[in-house]
Amino acid sequence: MTLRKSANRKLLLPLALLCVVGAVGASHAQQGGASFVEEFDRIDGSRWYISDGWANGAHQNCTWSKDQVTASDGILRLGFTERSTGDRDYACGEIQTNTRFSYGTYEARIQAVAGSGMNTGFFTYIGPAHGQPWDEIDFEFLGKDPSKVQLNQYVSGKGGNEKLVPVPGGAHESFNDYAFVWEKDRIRWFINGELVHEVNDPDLVPSQASKIYLSLWASDNMESWLGPFEQAEGTLSAQVERVAFTALGDACQFPESVACTLD
């Protein structure tokens, strides 16, 4: 689906705020960041930037709000709640790395949100606002059917590679381990250590070092993709227990890591 997380995801910021975010990216972004494991006892500002004060476009019915991103006791929580902010009726949460990462194993342990119109995301992205072509690799949990997760990738803004795969027990019922291994000429996606999809056409594999994103948002005008938006009572929360990146050639960093099993 090409409208969400469009090439304009940062170009939609007010100009003054865009300059601030651009300055953050310019000062911290590095090509091919080092391996790490994040277990979220807190939000480390040297690693993570919390999106705040804008939306990605008319398709998104919530404003990124820093108060919808919290971490404690080893859990990152991304919230979605009814609250008027600017011209949107809802507030939602997104976190992104300051550093850009290249080829390697990307992993997250996630409990996604259920609900028609909702989208929980774990993905890499870089685009024109960063001075690069739009490249992206996705896990997207469509709340209308949390029994599956959508996989996708974009190369220089060209997508259309969506694939839905089952999530054992449902993505919203408990934590599951999601990983993709990004190499120069292929991408492999894994759920709970099992290979579920592979792309091995080099023309369909992104090449630009990218930031890591985790997000929860919704839309009330993308029914064909996300389903009709259903307003929930109270605050919804996607939860993340762990995020890790293991650069190609580095040793695996924890026993459950997909990087421990790669040939």
Side-chain angles (χ1 to χ4, degrees):
M1 194 73 187
T2 58
L3 289 178
R4 91 282 182 273
K5 298 194 304 295
S6 72
N8 294 325
R9 77 178 281 118
K10 292 295 178 284
L11 297 177
L12 294 165
L13 285 155
L15 181 57
L17 187 55
L18 177 60
C19 292
V20 171
V21 175
V24 169
S27 62
H28 291 284
Q30 303 171 17
Q31 297 295 319
S35 300
F36 74 88
V37 179
E38 175 64 79
E39 295 184 323
F40 290 116
D41 291 322
R42 62 187 180 89
I43 296 177
D44 181 352
S46 67
R47 175 172 291 152
W48 299 103
Y49 175 80
I50 299 174
S51 302
D52 184 55
W54 72 90
N56 283 0
H59 61 283
Q60 184 176 316
N61 69 4
C62 57
T63 299
W64 300 128
S65 301
K66 62 184 179 182
D67 63 0
Q68 295 303 305
V69 180
T70 60
S72 61
D73 301 323
I75 301 289
L76 171 71
R77 294 175 177 84
L78 302 172
F80 181 94
T81 193
E82 185 174 6
R83 190 187 72 221
S84 295
T85 306
D87 61 350
R88 311 297 158 109
D89 294 328
Y90 300 90
C92 52
E94 178 181 73
I95 192 170
Q96 56 183 277
T97 56
N98 292 314
T99 300
R100 305 176 191 183
F101 298 86
S102 188
Y103 302 129
T105 301
Y106 295 75
E107 303 178 84
R109 184 165 174 79
I110 300 171
Q111 184 171 0
V113 163
S116 186
M118 304 299 302
N119 183 307
T120 305
F122 163 48
F123 57 97
T124 54
Y125 170 84
I126 206 71
H130 309 104
Q132 299 290 342
W134 172 16
D135 277 5
E136 183 173 339
I137 303 173
D138 293 324
F139 277 100
E140 290 189 288
F141 304 88
L142 313 184
K144 68 179 183 181
D145 183 6
S147 69
K148 300 181 178 69
V149 62
Q150 180 178 282
L151 316 177
N152 198 7
Q153 83 275 6
Y154 289 77
V155 178
S156 295
K158 184 177 181 180
N161 305 298
E162 294 88 351
K163 182 178 178 64
L164 287 169
V165 299
V167 176
H172 64 306
E173 293 289 358
S174 61
F175 285 94
N176 289 277
D177 292 302
Y178 303 93
F180 61 85
V181 180
W182 176 23
E183 300 170 278
K184 183 177 180 180
D185 56 2
R186 69 173 171 172
I187 311 169
R188 289 173 283 173
W189 287 263
F190 297 80
I191 299 178
N192 297 329
E194 298 294 324
L195 179 67
V196 295
H197 183 48
E198 181 172 354
V199 171
N200 51 27
D201 179 348
D203 291 337
L204 299 179
V205 176
S207 60
Q208 307 296 323
S210 300
K211 293 185 172 189
I212 301 169
Y213 289 78
L214 297 149
S215 64
L216 175 64
W217 61 280
S219 175
D220 48 21
N221 61 15
M222 300 184 75
E223 295 187 7
S224 62
W225 182 44
L226 297 178
F229 175 68
E230 297 177 358
Q231 181 175 337
E233 294 184 5
T235 298
L236 299 175
S237 180
Q239 300 186 80
V240 183
E241 277 192 348
R242 178 178 58 226
V243 174
F245 168 74
T246 307
L248 289 182
D250 284 3
C252 66
Q253 303 179 88
F254 54 96
E256 303 85 0
S257 174
V258 165
C260 300
T261 68
L262 297 178
D263 50 22

